[in-house]
Amino acid sequence: MSEASRPTYSSMDEVRAAIDALDERLMPLIAERTHCIAEAARLKGDPSIALVPWRVEQVAAHARELAERHGVDPDLAERLWRAMMSEFIAHERELMERATRS
């Protein structure tokens, strides 16, 4: 959706309903990303290699590009993606550690 075609809301109830609807669409995508992280953990196996710095930078740069393409502040997008990546890296490490204890 282009920035020009985004709706204008007349009440906070409408804004909140729109956010809830977006969350309904986002969660399945987060579930897919979580599955990819679990697969990465399975393939890597070693918790010490959960963090791949060059890949973090690559994903952050891609998030900035996507943000610009969609009319989102690239700085905001990068901060959000870095926070998300940090949590997913911690999750990946946890999955690998759990697998090594089994």
Side-chain angles (χ1 to χ4, degrees):
M1 178 182 298
S2 72
E3 198 169 350
S5 66
R6 292 184 182 133
T8 300
Y9 301 102
S10 59
S11 71
M12 282 306 300
D13 286 342
E14 287 181 4
V15 171
R16 290 179 180 121
I19 289 170
D20 290 346
L22 288 168
D23 289 346
E24 292 285 336
R25 292 170 42 202
L26 283 170
M27 196 53 67
L29 296 174
I30 291 171
E32 283 184 51
R33 199 175 203 288
T34 301
H35 173 71
C36 289
I37 297 304
E39 285 296 290
R42 182 182 62 79
L43 292 167
K44 288 179 185 177
D46 180 357
S48 71
I49 60 171
L51 173 62
V52 180
W54 67 265
R55 179 62 179 150
V56 169
E57 296 310 312
Q58 186 181 54
V59 173
H62 187 238
R64 291 185 70 84
E65 292 169 17
L66 290 171
E68 288 175 5
R69 194 179 321 154
H70 292 279
V72 175
D73 177 353
D75 292 334
L76 171 63
E78 182 177 349
R79 287 191 307 270
L80 288 169
W81 254 252
R82 286 186 183 278
M84 179 176 63
M85 286 187 287
S86 177
E87 292 300 322
F88 274 120
I89 290 164
H91 179 65
E92 180 181 354
R93 186 175 288 118
E94 181 182 317
L95 290 173
M96 288 188 272
E97 288 170 352
R98 197 178 311 155
T100 60
R101 289 191 297 258
S102 299

